mmCIF file of all heavy atoms in Angstrom:
data_model
loop_
_atom_site.group_PDB
_atom_site.id
_atom_site.type_symbol
_atom_site.label_atom_id
_atom_site.label_comp_id
_atom_site.label_asym_id
_atom_site.label_seq_id
_atom_site.Cartn_x
_atom_site.Cartn_y
_atom_site.Cartn_z
ATOM 1 N N THR A 107 -1.115 141.648 237.000
ATOM 2 C CA THR A 107 -1.335 140.236 237.246
ATOM 3 C C THR A 107 -0.487 139.358 236.311
ATOM 4 O O THR A 107 -0.454 138.146 236.491
ATOM 5 C CB THR A 107 -2.835 139.852 237.016
ATOM 6 O OG1 THR A 107 -3.209 140.273 235.713
ATOM 7 C CG2 THR A 107 -3.723 140.510 238.047
ATOM 8 N N ASN A 108 0.130 139.969 235.300
ATOM 9 C CA ASN A 108 0.888 139.161 234.326
ATOM 10 C C ASN A 108 2.354 139.539 234.308
ATOM 11 O O ASN A 108 2.943 139.776 233.269
ATOM 12 C CB ASN A 108 0.261 139.342 232.931
ATOM 13 C CG ASN A 108 0.124 140.810 232.593
ATOM 14 O OD1 ASN A 108 0.309 141.689 233.419
ATOM 15 N ND2 ASN A 108 -0.176 141.087 231.325
ATOM 16 N N GLY A 109 2.962 139.559 235.520
ATOM 17 C CA GLY A 109 4.371 139.947 235.637
ATOM 18 C C GLY A 109 5.324 139.049 234.883
ATOM 19 O O GLY A 109 6.265 139.528 234.248
ATOM 20 N N THR A 110 5.113 137.728 234.956
ATOM 21 C CA THR A 110 6.027 136.798 234.311
ATOM 22 C C THR A 110 6.044 137.014 232.798
ATOM 23 O O THR A 110 7.101 136.972 232.181
ATOM 24 C CB THR A 110 5.579 135.335 234.614
ATOM 25 O OG1 THR A 110 5.395 135.210 236.029
ATOM 26 C CG2 THR A 110 6.636 134.362 234.179
ATOM 27 N N ALA A 111 4.851 137.224 232.200
ATOM 28 C CA ALA A 111 4.780 137.418 230.761
ATOM 29 C C ALA A 111 5.503 138.676 230.370
ATOM 30 O O ALA A 111 6.248 138.720 229.351
ATOM 31 C CB ALA A 111 3.330 137.530 230.308
ATOM 32 N N LEU A 112 5.361 139.759 231.137
ATOM 33 C CA LEU A 112 6.044 141.027 230.814
ATOM 34 C C LEU A 112 7.564 140.877 230.951
ATOM 35 O O LEU A 112 8.294 141.389 230.096
ATOM 36 C CB LEU A 112 5.536 142.125 231.773
ATOM 37 C CG LEU A 112 4.117 142.641 231.509
ATOM 38 C CD1 LEU A 112 3.702 143.619 232.575
ATOM 39 C CD2 LEU A 112 4.022 143.306 230.140
ATOM 40 N N ILE A 113 8.015 140.182 231.976
ATOM 41 C CA ILE A 113 9.461 139.980 232.153
ATOM 42 C C ILE A 113 10.030 139.142 230.983
ATOM 43 O O ILE A 113 11.089 139.486 230.422
ATOM 44 C CB ILE A 113 9.787 139.296 233.490
ATOM 45 C CG1 ILE A 113 9.490 140.249 234.640
ATOM 46 C CG2 ILE A 113 11.243 138.858 233.558
ATOM 47 C CD1 ILE A 113 9.555 139.584 236.009
ATOM 48 N N ALA A 114 9.299 138.127 230.563
ATOM 49 C CA ALA A 114 9.761 137.283 229.421
ATOM 50 C C ALA A 114 9.783 138.107 228.151
ATOM 51 O O ALA A 114 10.794 138.051 227.394
ATOM 52 C CB ALA A 114 8.809 136.072 229.298
ATOM 53 N N LEU A 115 8.765 138.885 227.875
ATOM 54 C CA LEU A 115 8.737 139.746 226.689
ATOM 55 C C LEU A 115 9.849 140.754 226.727
ATOM 56 O O LEU A 115 10.563 141.021 225.724
ATOM 57 C CB LEU A 115 7.383 140.490 226.592
ATOM 58 C CG LEU A 115 6.169 139.652 226.134
ATOM 59 C CD1 LEU A 115 4.913 140.483 226.326
ATOM 60 C CD2 LEU A 115 6.271 139.245 224.682
ATOM 61 N N GLY A 116 10.081 141.348 227.893
ATOM 62 C CA GLY A 116 11.148 142.360 228.044
ATOM 63 C C GLY A 116 12.541 141.793 227.823
ATOM 64 O O GLY A 116 13.351 142.308 227.042
ATOM 65 N N MET A 117 12.827 140.635 228.414
ATOM 66 C CA MET A 117 14.174 140.029 228.256
ATOM 67 C C MET A 117 14.390 139.599 226.820
ATOM 68 O O MET A 117 15.482 139.817 226.293
ATOM 69 C CB MET A 117 14.261 138.795 229.181
ATOM 70 C CG MET A 117 14.371 139.094 230.663
ATOM 71 S SD MET A 117 15.715 140.209 231.099
ATOM 72 C CE MET A 117 17.129 139.469 230.365
ATOM 73 N N LEU A 118 13.378 139.002 226.178
ATOM 74 C CA LEU A 118 13.511 138.608 224.804
ATOM 75 C C LEU A 118 13.729 139.786 223.878
ATOM 76 O O LEU A 118 14.514 139.746 222.945
ATOM 77 C CB LEU A 118 12.260 137.826 224.378
ATOM 78 C CG LEU A 118 12.391 136.884 223.198
ATOM 79 C CD1 LEU A 118 13.500 135.850 223.433
ATOM 80 C CD2 LEU A 118 11.076 136.135 222.947
ATOM 81 N N SER A 119 13.012 140.890 224.146
ATOM 82 C CA SER A 119 13.157 142.105 223.323
ATOM 83 C C SER A 119 14.556 142.705 223.472
ATOM 84 O O SER A 119 15.137 143.144 222.467
ATOM 85 C CB SER A 119 12.121 143.136 223.714
ATOM 86 O OG SER A 119 10.807 142.644 223.495
ATOM 87 N N ILE A 120 15.079 142.741 224.672
ATOM 88 C CA ILE A 120 16.434 143.280 224.899
ATOM 89 C C ILE A 120 17.455 142.448 224.117
ATOM 90 O O ILE A 120 18.361 143.005 223.461
ATOM 91 C CB ILE A 120 16.774 143.358 226.368
ATOM 92 C CG1 ILE A 120 15.852 144.344 227.109
ATOM 93 C CG2 ILE A 120 18.218 143.811 226.591
ATOM 94 C CD1 ILE A 120 15.948 144.297 228.616
ATOM 95 N N LEU A 121 17.336 141.121 224.205
ATOM 96 C CA LEU A 121 18.258 140.220 223.509
ATOM 97 C C LEU A 121 18.144 140.360 221.980
ATOM 98 O O LEU A 121 19.138 140.532 221.302
ATOM 99 C CB LEU A 121 17.988 138.783 223.907
ATOM 100 C CG LEU A 121 18.648 138.307 225.191
ATOM 101 C CD1 LEU A 121 18.048 136.982 225.643
ATOM 102 C CD2 LEU A 121 20.142 138.134 224.982
ATOM 103 N N ILE A 122 16.922 140.307 221.468
ATOM 104 C CA ILE A 122 16.738 140.353 220.003
ATOM 105 C C ILE A 122 17.057 141.731 219.487
ATOM 106 O O ILE A 122 17.646 141.885 218.400
ATOM 107 C CB ILE A 122 15.305 139.937 219.642
ATOM 108 C CG1 ILE A 122 15.150 138.420 219.868
ATOM 109 C CG2 ILE A 122 14.933 140.309 218.197
ATOM 110 C CD1 ILE A 122 13.801 137.833 219.580
ATOM 111 N N GLY A 123 16.737 142.785 220.248
ATOM 112 C CA GLY A 123 17.081 144.142 219.818
ATOM 113 C C GLY A 123 18.595 144.328 219.719
ATOM 114 O O GLY A 123 19.076 145.073 218.855
#
Side-chain angles (χ1 to χ4, degrees):
T107 56
N108 52 350
T110 310
L112 287 174
I113 291 171
L115 285 170
M117 289 305 307
L118 201 56
S119 297
I120 295 170
L121 275 167
I122 288 180

